[in-house]
Amino acid sequence: MKVASRSAWFLWLVIVGAILAAAPAQDSITVLLDPPPEYLFNESLSFQIVACGPAPITDVKLVLFQPLPDATAQPLTYSAQFTPGAHITATITLDLSGGLLMPFTQATYWWALTDNAGAHLNTPPQTFDYVDNRFAWQRLDRSGISVFWYASDADFGIQAATIADTAMAHLNPDIYGPLPPALRLYIY
């Protein structure tokens, strides 16, 4: 019976050791929630992140980047509002009324978090499309062209796509270069 007790004891130690070895030790900052940004076109853009760490998180910044056609864009960095601690919820709301983002383009953002022990975390870059969300856009895709409209029926979208497709075919010889791989056309 002693051999069975020792075997059971040994098996129990192996199981507990395996569980402890498999459990990740939290020695760095962990992001618990990073939902997509929310915005009201030409008004405001809001970001939120929830994170925790073994040491109090003391600095949270948002880096926002939107490439411009002339390739002169630089990332913009914003300090988040939050109460420092081991578990934080940080938010940033930006004013879009001054033209911070170009409409109908894609923007990229990431978070930079630092704790008082010197640990630093940059989240993976994420993107979102900045479109005029005041309207319920209809969409038609054809030949690499996406046509968006809101105030008419499907026939209007078909006509617009046909005109755009024809125009692109005529533009190709005139621009002396390759056409863009995709074109998004918004019709108000």
Side-chain angles (χ1 to χ4, degrees):
M1 198 63 162
K2 284 188 171 187
V3 173
S5 294
R6 286 185 189 170
S7 295
W9 178 249
F10 180 73
L11 182 60
W12 183 81
L13 282 175
V14 169
I15 292 171
V16 168
I19 290 171
L20 290 175
Q26 187 177 350
D27 58 356
S28 62
I29 300 168
T30 302
V31 174
L32 303 174
L33 181 66
D34 184 6
E38 296 181 3
Y39 68 89
L40 296 171
F41 186 77
N42 207 31
E43 290 183 27
S44 64
L45 171 61
S46 298
F47 297 87
Q48 178 187 38
I49 190 167
V50 178
C52 65
I57 298 169
T58 55
D59 189 42
V60 178
K61 291 190 177 5
L62 176 82
V63 181
L64 180 63
F65 180 76
Q66 184 183 42
L68 299 175
D70 61 2
T72 59
Q74 296 293 321
L76 303 171
T77 303
Y78 301 93
S79 294
Q81 297 176 348
F82 72 104
T83 301
H87 187 280
I88 60 105
T89 298
T91 60
I92 293 178
T93 299
L94 302 174
D95 181 4
L96 296 178
S97 64
L100 177 66
L101 295 177
M102 287 179 40
F104 306 106
T105 58
Q106 193 172 71
T108 301
Y109 71 96
W110 61 92
W111 294 94
L113 297 92
T114 306
D115 68 19
N116 71 357
H120 184 77
L121 172 72
N122 282 343
T123 64
Q126 298 182 67
T127 60
F128 67 96
D129 291 326
Y130 179 57
V131 299
D132 190 344
N133 59 3
R134 298 173 297 177
F135 304 100
W137 296 100
Q138 297 180 63
R139 178 179 182 160
L140 176 67
D141 295 313
R142 184 167 54 177
S143 303
I145 299 171
S146 297
V147 177
F148 298 84
W149 74 99
Y150 67 89
S152 218
D153 60 10
D155 287 338
F156 177 83
I158 292 168
Q159 287 178 328
T162 301
I163 292 168
D165 196 28
T166 303
M168 291 297 284
H170 290 300
L171 277 176
N172 195 15
D174 294 338
I175 63 171
Y176 302 106
L179 292 174
L183 176 70
R184 297 187 319 177
L185 177 63
Y186 287 84
I187 303 171
Y188 279 85

